């Protein structure tokens, strides 16, 4: 993906801080590092120290899964609990709902390879940074990571995206690839920030879930909460609804949001 970005424009090599290298085109800066990105804590501060004003960060990454299913994905980052994959324990990073969701829609529009699925992933892994951040990934195994056409789809999608100021939602429920939230984003005027999957809810206390919801709403600057009802048992659904209502957040369903 980096090479595909570089092929689009004349980027200016603006130097290195000894650890990271920087190239500039218009208002975009490409930052490359030898560090494993999910463990590159506070890498935004390195850019700031180099003299770059950071508004949003987009990590260009490869996606890996046991299934090896071809996928083009975007997701927010941070940890609801453990930080074995970078970041800070129990701490989310600010998300980019409008940029991330617009990019997803653009990927779907430009994806001309039916092998590749297009979806969100739920919030997971590091690094910790202090600016709104998203990951854009090509997967899901080594045979796909060097697929230049798939990389072109992602790069073109990001560059051609049309950010809209749709209502911002936190998604709760469902699996890792957030099928319901992905479908809603592709068909309705709603942008998603952080997502709390069912596996994070499982075994969590009310206090822990309350903290997850509060943090996800705050770090997404979200307006509403969207529940994936069909992914929950009736008792779990009532539990989450009661917690959301007790916090004073608005719940919406598909009928509350206009179609695109």
């Amino acid at each position: 993906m980096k090479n595909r970005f570089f092929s689009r424009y004349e980027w200016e090599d603006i130097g290195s801080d000894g650890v990271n290298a920087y190239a500039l085109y218009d208002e975009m800066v490409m930052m490359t590092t030898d560090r494993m990105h999910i463990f590159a804590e506070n890498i935004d501060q390195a850019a700031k120290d180099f003299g770059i004003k950071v508004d949003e960060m987009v990590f260009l990454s490869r996606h890996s899964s046991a299934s090896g299913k071809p996928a083009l994905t975007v997701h927010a980052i941070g940890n609801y609990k453990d930080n074995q994959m970078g970041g800070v324990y129990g701490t989310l990073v600010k998300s980019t709902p409008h940029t991330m969701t617009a990019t997803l829609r653009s990927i779907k529009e430009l994806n001309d390879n039916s092998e590749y699925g297009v979806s969100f992933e739920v919030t997971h892994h590091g690094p910790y940074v202090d600016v709104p951040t998203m990951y854009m990934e090509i997967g899901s195994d080594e045979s796909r990571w060097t697929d230049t056409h798939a990389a072109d789809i992602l790069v073109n999608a990001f560059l051609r995206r049309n950010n809209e100021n749709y209502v911002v939602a936190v998604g709760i429920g469902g699996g890792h690839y957030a099928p319901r939230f992905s479908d809603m984003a592709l068909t309705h005027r709603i942008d998603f920030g952080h997502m709390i999957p069912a596996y994070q809810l499982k075994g969590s206390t009310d206090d822990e879930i309350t903290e997850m919801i509060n943090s996800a709403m705050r770090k997404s600057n979200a307006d509403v909460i969207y529940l994936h009802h069909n992914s929950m048992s009736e008792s779990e659904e009532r539990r989450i609804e009661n917690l959301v209502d007790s916090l004073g957040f608005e719940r919406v369903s598909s009928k509350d949001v206009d179609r695109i």
Side-chain angles (χ1 to χ4, degrees):
M1 278 188 279
K2 180 188 75 172
N3 290 337
R4 306 318 290 168
F5 267 107
F6 279 161
S7 72
R8 296 296 189 282
Y9 311 108
E10 291 294 326
W11 292 71
E12 178 187 358
D13 180 355
I14 56 175
S16 169
D17 59 18
V19 177
N20 311 296
Y22 302 87
L24 174 68
Y25 174 78
D26 195 23
E27 295 184 351
M28 291 190 295
V29 174
M30 182 70 71
M31 184 179 186
T32 57
T33 181
D34 290 335
R35 288 180 284 175
M36 180 58 179
H37 46 78
I38 63 173
F39 299 112
E41 314 298 348
N42 300 302
I43 196 169
D44 57 317
Q45 187 58 51
K48 293 175 186 176
D49 291 344
F50 191 73
I52 295 168
K53 181 180 181 292
V54 182
D55 295 316
E56 291 186 345
M57 296 189 75
V58 180
F59 283 80
L60 311 179
S61 177
R62 62 190 189 191
H63 173 64
S64 179
S65 73
S67 70
K69 183 179 179 181
L72 305 174
T73 68
V74 294
H75 70 87
I77 63 172
N79 301 304
Y80 292 107
K81 296 177 183 175
D82 72 75
N83 62 334
Q84 294 179 0
M85 299 300 289
V88 177
Y89 187 95
T91 303
L92 301 181
V93 173
K94 296 171 187 174
S95 66
T96 62
H98 302 306
T99 299
M100 185 173 74
T101 309
T103 300
L104 181 77
R105 294 187 185 107
S106 188
I107 295 170
K108 182 67 174 180
E109 180 181 350
L110 295 178
N111 181 29
D112 58 1
N113 187 335
S114 60
E115 284 189 285
Y116 282 91
V118 176
S119 72
F120 287 124
E121 291 179 77
V122 298
T123 302
H124 65 301
H125 73 60
Y128 179 77
V129 294
D130 195 35
V131 295
T133 298
M134 60 173 275
Y135 263 61
M136 185 165 70
E137 303 189 352
I138 181 172
S140 297
D141 60 27
E142 192 169 354
S143 68
R144 304 293 173 174
W145 298 337
T146 54
D147 184 339
T148 54
H149 183 61
D152 274 327
I153 291 171
L154 289 173
V155 169
N156 288 335
F158 180 78
L159 294 173
R160 298 178 189 179
R161 75 191 188 281
N162 183 24
N163 283 33
E164 301 282 1
N165 289 318
Y166 294 151
V167 62
V168 174
V170 161
I172 302 179
H176 185 78
Y177 294 96
R180 182 56 181 158
F181 309 142
S182 300
D183 181 64
M184 277 295 296
L186 292 171
T187 58
H188 289 72
R189 297 177 184 275
I190 188 170
D191 291 337
F192 281 90
H194 284 290
M195 302 170 200
I196 309 172
Y199 62 77
Q200 293 288 2
L201 302 173
K202 186 176 180 181
S204 297
T205 66
D206 287 357
D207 285 345
E208 288 171 334
I209 294 174
T210 294
E211 176 55 32
M212 291 182 204
I213 295 171
N214 275 325
S215 181
M217 291 292 287
R218 184 173 64 253
K219 291 299 181 71
S220 303
N221 196 22
D223 307 298
V224 298
I225 288 177
Y226 185 92
L227 301 185
H228 184 180
H229 294 280
N230 291 342
S231 70
M232 305 177 192
S233 66
E234 287 187 15
S235 60
E236 186 74 352
E237 181 180 0
R238 286 194 299 272
R239 178 192 183 200
I240 301 303
E241 286 179 341
N242 289 335
L243 289 173
V244 170
D245 293 346
S246 71
L247 293 170
F249 295 128
E250 179 184 357
R251 292 185 281 115
V252 297
S253 67
S254 57
K255 70 177 184 295
D256 300 314
V257 185
D258 292 336
R259 294 187 67 88
I260 293 175

